[in-house]
Every structure is written in structure tokens, then in C-alpha cells.
């Protein structure tokens, strides 16, 4: 069974700091990779996705992620965070045969003004 | 695009009562997913449907949980009898194919007293 690990459970940054959230997955087959964001009290929204091609993908709100196949990683980055980025971030993997998403445990990001 | 619509948004009921959660997927999507989110276990897939047929219900906790999708535009998740440990936020998501991300509803916050 596939699994997703997000090692940072709670990250606190000041505005303008750079962000990198780690995500590692365990699955040997073809996967699609996602980052979702959940703002307080809201539903999950897609930040970005990787299916194939360029391993560096850009998403909304200045976020990007890099797929490194050899490391089974899909880390999320943003060069300069804003207070409005305070939210919980979930990495997810989709087994292309099964379709359902397996989520990591989430990383709570708190950006201080 | 109305998005995935879930009802009710909040439900508070006493243990032992039957609870029914409802979901209307995005029109044209052929897959529907029920997830549960708790502090302890994070986001878990309960069941998903493809073309109205249940494909994987291995995440359904026990026989008290059941889900149906009588047509392409409606699904229910039922808990009978409900227990306090069922308290969680239940999300419905829909998608199309394996190359498209899932779209999430606003969730139902369920509290069993």
C-alpha cells in the first residue's frame, strides 16, 4: 500500500521568509502527485499537480513543487510567504490505477506578520 | 460551476441516531469520493465510486457505515447507529478520469454527543 509522509507537522515563519515543505511517498508504480491547501474552516483546494513532464511544476499563489523520482519526493516551495498563506498543506498521491488519493498527515503553516 | 455541494454543513446529534450526509458532485465528473478528517487520523478515504459503482470501500470503518450513489448526481453516506467516535469532518470530492484532480466540497462537520 502506498503511503505519504510529511515530516514537518507545524512550521512557523515570518512574512517574506522562504518556505519548503517536505513530502515523500512510497509507491513503486506510476503516480500523480498533488499539493492541496486547507484554509481555516474551508475545504481543500488544489495548489498544484504533477502528472508527467517537467518535474518542476508551478501552481497558484506563487507556489511550486519539484518531483524528484529517485528520492520519491515532491517538496513544496515558495520564495516569500505572506500572512495569507497561513493554512494547512497536504501532499497527496494518486495511484493511477486506483484513482483514490492517499494524503499525508498535513503541515500546519503559521505565518507571522 | 457550482462545485461539489454537501449537506448539511453541520450536524449535531445524539449517539445511536441515524445520520445521513449528502453530496452532489460536479456535473460531468464520473468519480466520487468520501473522506473523513479527524485530528488523530488526518484525511482518510472511506469509499469511492466510479460511474456510480462502488470501487473501493476498504476504508469504511465498520458495518455501521454505508454509502450509496443511486445516480451520477447524488450520493449519501449513512451512519447507523452513530457513536461519539464518528465525530469528524466528512468531505465529498469528485473527479474525472485519472489525470484530473479531485474537487472537494465544503465538508459536513459531524458531532455525535
Amino acid at each position: 500500500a502506498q503511503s505519504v509522509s510529511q515530516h514537518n507537522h507545524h512550521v512557523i515563519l515570518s512574512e517574506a521568509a522562504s518556505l519548503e515543505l517536505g513530502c515523500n511517498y512510497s509507491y513503486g508504480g506510476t503516480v500523480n502527485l498533488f499539493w492541496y491547501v486547507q484554509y481555516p474552516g474551508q475545504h481543500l483546494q488544489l495548489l498544484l499537480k504533477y502528472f508527467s513532464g517537467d518535474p518542476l511544476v508551478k501552481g497558484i499563489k506563487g507556489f511550486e513543487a519539484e518531483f524528484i523520482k529517485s528520492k520519491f519526493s515532491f517538496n513544496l516551495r515558495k520564495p516569500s510567504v505572506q500572512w495569507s498563506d497561513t493554512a494547512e498543506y497536504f501532499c497527496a498521491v494518486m495511484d493511477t490505477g486506483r484513482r483514490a488519493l492517499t494524503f499525508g498527515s498535513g503541515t500546519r503553516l503559521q505565518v507571522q506578520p | 460551476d457550482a462545485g461539489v455541494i454537501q449537506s448539511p454543513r453541520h450536524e449535531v446529534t445524539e449517539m445511536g441516531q441515524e445520520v445521513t450526509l449528502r453530496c452532489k458532485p460536479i456535473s460531468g465528473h464520473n468519480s466520487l469520493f468520501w473522506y473523513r478528517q479527524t485530528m488523530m487520523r488526518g484525511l482518510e478515504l472511506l469509499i469511492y465510486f466510479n460511474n456510480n459503482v462502488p470501487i473501493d470501500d476498504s476504508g469504511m470503518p465498520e458495518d455501521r457505515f454505508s454509502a450509496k450513489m443511486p445516480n451520477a448526481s447524488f450520493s449519501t453516506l449513512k451512519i447507523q447507529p452513530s457513536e461519539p467516535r464518528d465525530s469528524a469532518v466528512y468531505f465529498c470530492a469528485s473527479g474525472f478520469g485519472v489525470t484530473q484532480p479531485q474537487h472537494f466540497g465544503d465538508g459536513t462537520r459531524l458531532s455525535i454527543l
Side-chain angles (χ1 to χ4, degrees), chain A residues 18-87:
Chain A
S18 64
L19 170 72
E20 180 160 3
L21 302 182
C23 173
N24 289 90
Y25 66 94
S26 63
Y27 183 70
T30 302
V31 294
N32 296 334
L33 299 160
F34 306 83
W35 276 96
Y36 282 85
V37 60
Q38 186 177 28
Y39 297 103
Q42 296 188 24
H43 63 272
L44 284 86
Q45 302 172 42
L46 182 69
L47 267 182
L48 49 78
K49 61 185 186 289
Y50 172 81
F51 293 139
S52 63
D54 189 344
L56 184 62
V57 293
K58 295 188 184 300
I60 60 171
K61 304 185 181 186
F63 286 91
E64 65 178 32
E66 184 176 13
F67 170 54
I68 303 179
K69 189 174 181 179
S70 61
K71 295 184 178 180
F72 295 89
S73 70
F74 190 56
N75 293 353
L76 181 71
R77 298 196 292 251
K78 185 171 183 178
S80 176
V81 295
Q82 301 173 312
W83 178 79
S84 57
D85 293 325
T86 294

Side-chain angles (χ1 to χ4, degrees), chain B residues 57 59-67 78-81 83 85:
Chain B
D57 64 354
M60 296 285 263
E62 49 199 273
D63 293 343
R64 297 185 297 106
F65 285 69
S66 62
K78 188 173 292 187
I79 309 173
Q80 167 63 18
E83 297 182 3
R85 61 193 167 120

Side-chain angles (χ1 to χ4, degrees), chain B residues 3-5 22-34 49-54 68-76 92-96:
Chain B
V4 176
I5 299 173
R22 297 173 177 80
C23 176
K24 177 179 168 55
I26 292 173
S27 178
H29 283 183
N30 64 351
S31 296
L32 183 139
F33 307 80
W34 283 101
F49 296 83
N50 187 44
N51 294 324
N52 311 339
V53 176
K68 294 182 180 179
M69 191 165 187
N71 57 61
S73 59
F74 183 65
S75 175
T76 60
C92 177
S94 70
F96 185 79

Side-chain angles (χ1 to χ4, degrees), chain A residues 32 34 36 38 41-46 49 51 88 90 94-105 108, chain B residues 9 30-31 33 35 37 39 42-43 45 48 50 56 58 91 97-107:
Chain A
N32 296 334
F34 306 83
Y36 282 85
Q38 186 177 28
Q42 296 188 24
H43 63 272
L44 284 86
Q45 302 172 42
L46 182 69
K49 61 185 186 289
F51 293 139
E88 190 152 17
F90 293 91
M94 181 193 291
D95 167 0
T96 55
R98 185 171 176 256
R99 298 193 184 193
L101 289 168
T102 300
F103 284 91
S105 56
R108 186 173 300 275
Chain B
R9 290 295 308 276
N30 64 351
S31 296
F33 307 80
Y35 293 90
Q37 185 179 37
M39 289 290 291
L43 269 161
L45 175 71
Y48 81 95
N50 187 44
D56 184 347
S58 60
F91 287 102
V98 297
T99 60
Q100 299 299 317
Q102 295 171 19
H103 296 260
F104 284 76
D106 288 336

